[in-house]
Amino acid sequence: MELILETLGLAKSAELLSLSPPGWGANLLRGLANSLQIAFGAFGFGLVIGLFGAYGKLYGGVVVRDLLAIYTTVIRAVPELVLILILYYVGTDVINQVSQAMGYGRVEISGVVAGIWVLGIVQGAYSTEVLRGAIQAVPPGQIEAARAFGMPPFMLMRRVTIPAMLSFATPGLANLWLIATKDTALLAIVGFSELTLETRQAAASTRAYFTFFLAAGALYLIVTLCSGAVFARIEKWSRRGQPSLRGSNK
Amino acid sequence: MTTSDSTIQNNAPCEVQDEAIRVMDLHKSFGMLEVLKGVSLKAQKGDVVAIIGGSGSGKSTFLRCINFLETPSSGQIFVNGEEIQMRPDGSPVNRRQIERIRTRLGMVFQAFNLWTHRTLLENVIEVPVHVLKVPRAEAIERAKVLLDRVGLRDKADTFPAFLSGGQQQRAAIARALAVDPSVMLFDEPTSALDPELVGEVLTVIRDLAAEGRTMLLVTHEMKFAREVATHVVYLYQGLIEEQGPPAELFENPKSARLQQFLKTVG
């Protein structure tokens, strides 16, 4: 192993990337863990917002529909970097003002929670549209049949609408998840030590920019490949019962 | 509206408890368009009421108002003697009452409307298990019997999209039977089927009629209506133009419109 690295001239890089100091590998992995934690939280939070948003847009009253239209339009119009700055500083400021007004003094807001909240709100706007489209793609007769047999609204959503729309929503949601993993890099701007910021620090300290950014790129690629496999399984499962577009011999 | 009607004349003392469906003066408008202009109908237990009429006569809308898939504009609906509470604008007062009554009305749709993400067996047990809270094992046993009955036992684990229209509709009938409905509502059950598949579905419905199931059947199959119905209602532009026992109605139609209609549908 050592010999191979030596002959390829990669011994130095291997040393820099090793998990124990003086290598920076552990820092990178910690950054990755933070990134994934935020991406996961933000994606989940976004899904919850998206589900309510989609139902609100489809079945809500005029006021609800208008408010949701403003939400999705504004969030999707403003660049994410700007949104992150706005939501991060506004969010922390509001929480601090509330806490001070109640006499608690300034509170320290955890980077993970702030990141999930900021990216979750961004994801929610896109999720709303993905899920709205998917719900509308469900044949209305299936929802009508459930109503005709006396299913209450929440059970209908859980037993019929969500499983039936899943196959339409999965490709869009897979996109959103991958965007979430990479949007975590934008949180570097508010000083959150996710993968990109950890990489930059490691690179700046060692001057081995190429090595570290290549390694970070590889980590992002691995996340994407694993996610792809997971989403492929989810999609296959959610499409059970639907004949393949390629014909029955596949 | 003609009221020379055998079911209405039958005023036995046990009438109320034998009554399956009673609809009084039902109106329904879609915006400016009045689709139902005051339709009344009674069905006793064991009756098979066939509702016929041309396109746009309001026959499907009438059926869909009974289980509130369409909200009536005004009128009264009784199911097993229980009146569905409506506001003056026809909207239901109590969502739970509607849901409870719906579980007693097994509906079969023109487009089958099976849940495509569930197998036939899962389709049949869905409502018993989740809405009626029947133990799962019991529901599965019963579902197998019902699928057997409609000739689909070997397809229990197949998804609907891999079956013919006739098979899907038979499965949909099994799904409706699974709630042991007091009244079955058929909304043009054979209209979406290829001609050679109509027979297999009608056979199943004929068996149900023979065992005394109460049914309201919107259909274009005149021969079938004549054969299985105990009472036939002809709707024309949102009103009952003529009704009566099938033999009388098909042999001796009194109204000129019904004569014309029967001539065109052959």
Side-chain angles (χ1 to χ4, degrees):
Chain A
M1 187 68 183
E2 305 251 320
L3 192 70
I4 300 170
L5 289 172
E6 200 74 57
T7 44
L8 289 171
L10 291 175
K12 184 91 175 77
S13 300
E15 195 181 307
L16 284 171
L17 289 170
S18 79
L19 290 178
S20 51
W24 290 76
N27 294 43
L28 258 55
L29 289 183
R30 205 178 317 121
L32 177 66
N34 278 333
S35 286
L36 287 177
Q37 202 180 351
I38 289 194
F40 209 75
F43 181 67
F45 183 36
L47 272 183
V48 173
I49 297 178
L51 199 58
F52 282 102
Y55 267 88
K57 274 198 165 187
L58 290 171
Y59 301 107
V62 184
V63 179
V64 172
R65 284 205 308 266
D66 283 353
L67 287 175
L68 286 167
I70 294 170
Y71 165 63
T72 52
T73 309
V74 170
I75 296 289
R76 292 186 302 162
V78 180
E80 271 144 57
L81 197 57
V82 178
L83 274 176
I84 285 167
L85 289 170
I86 294 174
L87 291 172
Y88 184 79
Y89 289 114
V90 168
T92 48
D93 205 44
V94 165
I95 290 172
N96 272 318
Q97 288 202 352
V98 168
S99 125
Q100 270 172 344
M102 291 166 70
Y104 287 113
R106 290 190 73 82
V107 277
E108 200 58 49
I109 291 150
S110 121
V112 174
V113 173
I116 287 175
W117 132 261
V118 170
L119 284 185
I121 287 185
V122 177
Q123 288 263 314
Y126 292 91
S127 272
T128 297
E129 293 303 297
V130 169
L131 295 179
R132 184 175 64 88
I135 291 172
Q136 283 185 309
V138 175
Q142 296 196 27
I143 292 167
E144 189 161 76
R147 286 175 57 214
F149 283 104
M151 267 198 199
F154 186 72
M155 184 190 288
L156 197 157
M157 173 170 113
R158 191 168 55 84
R159 297 292 308 170
V160 177
T161 312
I162 291 179
M165 70 137 172
L166 200 57
S167 64
F168 304 114
T170 315
L173 293 180
N175 272 346
L176 280 185
W177 160 253
L178 292 179
I179 290 168
T181 60
K182 280 166 293 185
D183 274 1
T184 55
L186 297 174
L187 292 172
I189 198 172
V190 290
F192 181 70
S193 52
E194 43 61 63
L195 179 54
T196 298
L197 188 60
E198 291 282 2
T199 308
R200 221 162 60 192
Q201 283 167 347
S205 319
T206 58
R207 307 265 158 209
Y209 288 96
F210 188 70
T211 306
F212 281 110
F213 280 107
L214 206 61
L219 287 176
Y220 282 118
L221 182 63
I222 290 168
V223 169
T224 304
L225 292 173
C226 295
S227 310
V230 171
F231 274 103
R233 287 196 72 154
I234 294 176
E235 194 172 341
K236 187 163 180 244
W237 176 77
S238 69
R239 287 189 64 84
R240 74 199 185 286
Q242 295 178 25
S244 162
L245 289 178
R246 293 192 193 179
S248 54
N249 56 342
K250 268 283 167 188
Chain B
M1 193 188 334
T2 40
T3 46
S4 62
D5 160 18
S6 63
T7 51
I8 284 174
Q9 283 161 9
N10 177 10
N11 272 331
C14 59
E15 186 204 33
V16 171
Q17 58 177 319
D18 276 356
E19 173 187 293
I21 296 274
R22 181 151 53 101
V23 181
M24 290 165 75
D25 198 28
L26 194 74
H27 289 254
K28 170 67 184 173
S29 303
F30 292 102
M32 294 295 289
L33 181 71
E34 195 173 24
V35 179
L36 297 175
K37 299 168 184 164
V39 179
S40 301
L41 182 102
K42 253 187 189 186
Q44 304 289 102
K45 280 185 186 150
D47 280 356
V48 177
V49 179
I51 301 164
I52 60 173
S55 170
S57 59
K59 55 193 190 310
S60 276
T61 305
F62 175 70
L63 197 72
R64 291 162 56 82
C65 278
I66 291 175
N67 64 0
F68 269 69
L69 283 183
E70 304 288 356
T71 309
S73 304
S74 68
Q76 282 177 294
I77 298 171
F78 296 81
V79 176
N80 300 127
E82 179 182 350
E83 180 174 5
I84 300 181
Q85 296 157 18
M86 289 188 234
R87 296 211 175 84
D89 66 347
S91 63
V93 172
N94 182 348
R95 202 196 73 218
R96 285 176 199 282
Q97 188 201 18
I98 301 283
E99 283 164 6
R100 187 162 43 77
I101 284 178
R102 280 172 174 168
T103 61
R104 290 189 230 143
L105 303 169
M107 185 148 188
V108 176
F109 298 86
Q110 181 176 355
F112 331 132
N113 294 352
L114 291 168
W115 295 301
T116 51
H117 55 284
R118 302 195 191 284
T119 63
L120 292 198
L121 187 80
E122 288 167 344
N123 265 281
V124 177
I125 66 169
E126 180 69 20
V127 179
V129 170
H130 293 277
V131 181
L132 303 174
K133 312 291 179 201
V134 173
R136 194 180 174 84
E138 198 179 299
I140 289 175
E141 277 317 301
R142 201 172 135 65
K144 283 180 177 165
V145 173
L146 290 171
L147 284 173
D148 197 24
R149 181 169 173 183
V150 297
L152 290 169
R153 177 143 206 181
D154 56 328
K155 302 285 185 192
D157 297 321
T158 310
F159 288 97
F162 300 98
L163 297 173
S164 74
Q167 289 171 319
Q168 288 191 53
Q169 192 61 299
R170 283 186 278 144
I173 293 172
R175 175 177 70 173
L177 284 170
V179 300
D180 196 17
S182 58
V183 181
M184 295 191 78
L185 307 175
F186 288 90
D187 186 6
E188 303 192 29
T190 57
S191 299
L193 297 175
D194 291 339
E196 78 269 25
L197 301 176
V198 169
E200 63 189 65
V201 172
L202 292 185
T203 304
V204 172
I205 300 176
R206 189 180 293 119
D207 286 351
L208 294 173
E211 73 172 28
R213 285 252 171 216
T214 315
M215 305 189 207
L216 264 56
L217 174 71
V218 171
T219 186
H220 287 295
E221 301 282 332
M222 293 305 142
K223 267 173 66 188
F224 183 70
R226 183 174 176 173
E227 177 195 341
V228 301
T230 54
H231 188 75
V232 181
V233 174
Y234 171 63
L235 276 182
Y236 179 80
Q237 292 188 352
L239 283 170
I240 296 183
E241 175 84 9
E242 190 168 342
Q243 59 180 323
E248 206 173 290
L249 197 105
F250 286 111
E251 294 295 335
N252 275 317
K254 291 178 193 70
S255 108
R257 287 179 183 133
L258 178 56
Q259 290 167 8
Q260 183 60 34
F261 175 72
L262 291 175
K263 221 176 277 170
T264 45
V265 297

